[in-house]
Amino acid sequence: MDIVKFLFFSSLEYLSILFMLSVLFRLSFKENLPPFIFITIILNLVSYFSRFSAQIGSYAVFLQVILLISCIVLIMRIHWFYAASMALIPSIGFLVIQGIIFYILDSFSLFNLAEDVGSDGTITFWAYMLQLFTATIYTLLALIAKFLNYGWSFVPQRVKINLNQRDNKLMLLGMIMSIVFLLVMRYAGLSGGIYLLINCVGMLICYILLFWVFHKKEQRFEF
């Protein structure tokens, strides 16, 4: 029963991230549902089994983002540079929302990462609620973005990337910074309080930077 609950709530998280990805990059969620389900299954398996290893669990989020990037490259045939941004932007946005909810619950002593997600793989009611709250809010934000018709169309497929361009340098910087914050995310969650808040602010800065670069690229694409 535990695995069923875990897979259900984790699937809600991953599908909300993929839904946001489809909205921001103007992909049909319905047409891409089969590969999205496949990606969700892969991410679920990695997430589930990483719970039973403290070493792997510390880098679970990072590993899942790397897997998501790989899936986008292989399935959608997008260049790894843009695939990384396509994976990082919706993932970081999701983690910022989750981090804020986490911080609020932690402030009221309703959630503690070490206690609610045990080293033996057990997950409590509040851990599942954190997943549900985040997935629901993120899906609503994606629906708002879709209603406002916000997104980007310029993303090319397999093309050569010029890293000397200013925009691409900023994208690379944003991606490297994002990876750093992803790597320390679990430690910030375990520490809680100000450390968690600092990590959320850092990821938000990365999100804004990548969002701004994509907005600028879209403007030039339109003209």
Side-chain angles (χ1 to χ4, degrees), residues 11-22:
S11 294
L12 292 180
E13 288 185 306
Y14 298 132
L15 287 172
S16 70
I17 291 171
L18 291 168
F19 181 50
M20 180 65 84
L21 183 151
S22 69

Side-chain angles (χ1 to χ4, degrees), residues 199-211:
N199 198 66
C200 284
V201 171
M203 286 195 294
L204 181 60
I205 291 170
C206 296
Y207 183 83
I208 292 170
L209 175 60
L210 290 171
F211 212 90

Side-chain angles (χ1 to χ4, degrees), residues 4-216:
V4 174
K5 287 191 292 184
F6 180 89
L7 294 177
F8 174 74
F9 287 102
S10 292
S11 294
L12 292 180
E13 288 185 306
Y14 298 132
L15 287 172
S16 70
I17 291 171
L18 291 168
F19 181 50
M20 180 65 84
L21 183 151
S22 69
V23 170
L24 291 178
F25 295 95
R26 301 190 187 280
L27 302 171
S28 170
F29 185 79
K30 188 175 180 180
E31 289 178 9
N32 288 283
L33 191 57
F36 283 168
I37 291 174
F38 174 76
I39 292 170
T40 299
I41 292 170
I42 296 295
L43 295 176
N44 264 322
L45 290 173
V46 172
S47 180
Y48 182 77
F49 288 108
S50 67
R51 297 188 306 158
F52 302 101
S53 171
Q55 246 182 342
I56 298 174
S58 299
Y59 304 103
V61 176
F62 172 72
L63 290 174
Q64 289 164 43
V65 172
I66 295 299
L67 275 172
L68 179 55
I69 294 169
S70 302
C71 289
I72 292 172
V73 171
L74 295 172
I75 297 172
M76 300 182 183
R77 300 187 63 79
I78 304 292
H79 190 281
W80 69 266
F81 187 77
Y82 285 106
S85 293
M86 288 176 71
L88 284 166
I89 289 176
S91 297
I92 291 172
F94 181 91
L95 291 170
V96 168
I97 300 288
Q98 191 166 71
I100 293 170
I101 298 172
F102 185 169
Y103 180 78
I104 293 170
L105 293 176
D106 183 58
S107 299
F108 289 96
S109 300
L110 293 173
F111 186 84
N112 182 284
L113 186 61
E115 296 174 2
D116 289 283
V117 183
S119 57
D120 60 349
T122 56
I123 296 180
T124 67
F125 169 80
W126 280 108
Y128 287 126
M129 288 302 98
L130 176 64
Q131 291 179 296
L132 179 62
F133 293 157
T134 313
T136 302
I137 292 171
Y138 209 52
T139 300
L140 289 173
L141 290 174
L143 287 171
I144 292 170
K146 187 173 183 178
F147 176 77
L148 296 174
N149 196 31
Y150 192 85
W152 308 298
S153 307
F154 75 90
V155 178
Q157 290 187 313
R158 293 188 182 274
V159 295
K160 188 175 181 180
I161 302 297
N162 182 7
L163 291 177
N164 290 321
Q165 289 183 358
R166 179 173 175 269
D167 287 351
N168 290 340
K169 285 181 179 178
L170 288 173
M171 279 177 65
L172 184 61
L173 174 64
M175 287 189 283
I176 293 172
M177 288 170 58
S178 300
I179 289 169
V180 171
F181 285 112
L182 287 175
L183 286 171
V184 300
M185 183 181 174
R186 181 170 175 82
Y187 298 106
L190 287 169
S191 302
I194 190 66
Y195 297 102
L196 175 63
L197 197 58
I198 290 171
N199 198 66
C200 284
V201 171
M203 286 195 294
L204 181 60
I205 291 170
C206 296
Y207 183 83
I208 292 170
L209 175 60
L210 290 171
F211 212 90
W212 178 79
V213 172
F214 267 71
H215 180 71
K216 289 295 181 183

